[in-house]
Amino acid sequence: MSSDDTSRLKSQIRGVFEGGGYVFATKAANIARDAGFTNPARLASNENPFGISDAAVNAAKEALDSGNRYPDETADSLVKALAQYHADCGVKLNVVTGVGMDGVIENVIRTIIGAGDKVVVSTPTFSFYNLAVTAQGGVVQNVRRREDFTVGVPEFVGACRGAKIAFLCSPNNPTGTITPVEDIEEILKGLLKEGCMLFLDNAYVDFCDTDYRRLMKDYDNLIIGRTMSKAFGLAGMRVGYAFVPDWYLPYYKRAQTPFALNNISIAAAVGALSDREFVRRYVNHVKEWRDAFGAGLKYKVYPAGANFVMIDVAPQKSDDVVAKLAKKGVIVRSCASFPTLGDTFIRVSIGDSWENEMFLKAMNEI
Ligand SMILES: *Cc1c(COP(=O)(O)O)cnc(C)c1O
């Protein structure tokens, strides 16, 4: 093909995809590998360091035999298992599923956002909302958190005038900040008057003691996103879900790709939900080490409700610190790519004990 042909074809691609896309933490991993570490401390992606529950593995293996069949398009076994898992909250919850919470977010945006529609995002935060909104032709207005990364409720509600949906992450990635339930409630009331939805991202909620589920009873403009990638250790299985209001349920289903989840991920997720002890053990481990990170470093460690902490390494630069740690076999995430956050923050996942010890030692050496 001539380069003219290629250029002509390339010009058909929508402008929104000319940008950078999602930032993966590969640079640090390459540095660690080049320094000779075959088994570095992997503290960049908030994964469960204890692996995957046996119950999930066994269920997934069994599901391989049904690989010739299309999955149940309603993922009914998973929806039922999730409803049962959450029965303790005492509120009837409508559960929808997706290919990771990322898949849920994409699908929600697809139901609401068209070209030029306004979306508000509480920043600094997880970058995928912005990418998914932009891909759909929507326009993001970032609303900055306060200096201490808490959410300024009046500013946030004020910015949502004319917006169709707003995204707020709690505990927030990458700052770890928990927004109190009362603040979310106030936001929901303010947004309801504007006909604006709130997508509350609860990817890390298992690691804190704040519970937002009861809000589903009273607020028709709330969607709560959840994932099995973090506490349940199923990042590679791509299982996300959400609680949605009654009226919204049929729209979500209509917009979803048929057969979004596959037989194996559905089975693995159902298996994982049956092993509460696995999750409990991991969550306790995270809470203990989160405190140890807070006490064991000479830098400012932000209070976090997640399986990671954010650390201000000023006056050093985050990219430099990440490179230095990688040379010592510790992979963490620089937050320099998070818009509005500045260039002195790193995000460190709570890993297995040996990884955490390796991090503390390396951090105090540099
Ligand atoms: C990890 C993460 C998700 C989505 O994870 P999936 O693996 O797609 O389920 C969503 N939101 C935040 C804030 C996350 O950190």
Side-chain angles (χ1 to χ4, degrees):
M1 224 166 38
S2 77
S3 65
D4 272 3
D5 289 341
T6 312
S7 321
R8 209 161 25 244
L9 291 169
K10 275 192 177 173
S11 73
Q12 308 284 21
I13 299 294
R14 293 166 57 216
V16 295
F17 295 112
E18 297 296 339
Y22 190 84
V23 178
F24 298 94
T26 50
K27 227 194 287 169
N30 293 341
I31 295 173
R33 200 193 46 227
D34 292 347
F37 290 93
T38 49
N39 190 24
R42 289 192 177 80
L43 305 181
S45 301
N46 306 336
E47 294 150 340
N48 185 328
F50 296 160
I52 174 169
S53 148
D54 287 344
V57 173
N58 293 335
K61 277 186 186 157
E62 214 165 292
L64 277 172
D65 287 338
S66 67
N68 61 316
R69 299 294 176 194
Y70 276 106
D72 165 21
E73 71 278 9
T74 62
D76 191 50
S77 56
L78 175 56
V79 169
K80 287 211 171 92
L82 284 165
Q84 198 182 348
Y85 183 86
H86 289 289
D88 66 308
C89 79
V91 176
K92 182 193 151 279
L93 298 167
N94 298 311
V95 179
V96 296
T97 59
V99 180
M101 196 204 303
D102 289 353
V104 173
I105 291 166
E106 257 184 345
N107 199 40
V108 166
I109 289 171
R110 190 142 44 143
T111 60
I112 297 173
I113 298 304
D117 287 338
K118 175 178 162 181
V119 177
V120 166
V121 175
S122 173
T123 49
T125 195
F126 188 53
S127 63
F128 187 71
Y129 318 128
N130 207 318
L131 293 169
V133 168
T134 311
Q136 197 64 28
V139 179
V140 171
Q141 182 180 334
N142 290 314
V143 180
R144 287 184 71 160
R145 287 166 174 259
R146 299 196 189 104
E147 194 81 357
D148 61 357
F149 302 115
T150 57
V151 176
V153 172
E155 299 96 285
F156 187 77
V157 171
C160 288
R161 206 153 297 139
K164 289 190 143 187
I165 186 167
F167 286 83
L168 194 151
C169 186
S170 180
N172 187 38
N173 181 2
T175 62
T177 323
I178 299 170
T179 303
V181 180
E182 303 73 50
D183 287 5
I184 297 296
E185 200 158 5
E186 210 177 316
I187 289 169
L188 286 166
K189 283 181 186 147
L191 266 55
L192 196 54
K193 290 192 206 117
E194 300 288 327
C196 182
M197 304 277 290
L198 179 71
F199 189 99
L200 179 66
D201 183 330
N202 271 180
Y204 298 98
V205 80
D206 307 276
F207 302 103
C208 75
D209 301 319
T210 304
D211 186 348
Y212 301 96
R213 292 174 297 181
R214 71 168 172 82
L215 296 175
M216 292 308 305
K217 186 160 70 78
D218 295 323
Y219 296 95
D220 261 351
N221 58 335
L222 175 62
I223 297 174
I224 296 182
R226 293 264 191 152
T227 178
M228 299 196 63
S229 296
K230 311 283 160 53
F232 288 86
L234 296 186
M237 291 284 128
R238 314 305 304 127
V239 182
Y241 63 103
F243 307 129
V244 301
D246 291 330
W247 69 268
Y248 181 72
L249 192 59
Y251 297 107
Y252 184 94
K253 290 185 172 168
R254 266 173 238 166
Q256 190 166 34
T257 312
F259 312 115
L261 289 187
N262 64 66
N263 298 351
I264 299 160
S265 49
I266 291 171
V270 173
L273 286 164
S274 74
D275 192 354
R276 289 180 182 236
E277 189 47 39
F278 179 84
V279 178
R280 204 173 301 132
R281 193 174 133 248
Y282 174 39
V283 170
N284 288 339
H285 170 87
V286 163
K287 288 179 175 171
E288 275 169 32
W289 275 101
R290 220 163 45 193
D291 293 343
F293 278 17
L297 294 166
K298 56 180 189 251
Y299 300 94
K300 180 167 173 56
V301 180
Y302 283 82
N307 62 345
F308 58 82
V309 292
M310 189 174 78
I311 302 169
D312 188 353
V313 296
Q316 303 186 78
K317 298 282 185 242
S318 52
D319 286 347
D320 296 341
V321 169
V322 167
K324 284 181 192 165
L325 289 172
K327 283 203 189 99
K328 293 174 180 286
V330 180
I331 301 168
V332 305
R333 172 78 194 255
S334 166
C335 296
S337 67
F338 286 91
T340 77
L341 192 50
D343 58 2
T344 67
F345 295 94
I346 62 170
R347 190 192 68 194
V348 184
S349 312
I350 309 298
D352 205 341
S353 299
W354 68 267
E355 296 177 294
N356 302 334
E357 277 156 14
M358 203 163 147
F359 163 72
L360 286 175
K361 182 164 175 289
M363 193 68 192
N364 286 324
E365 277 168 11
I366 62 174

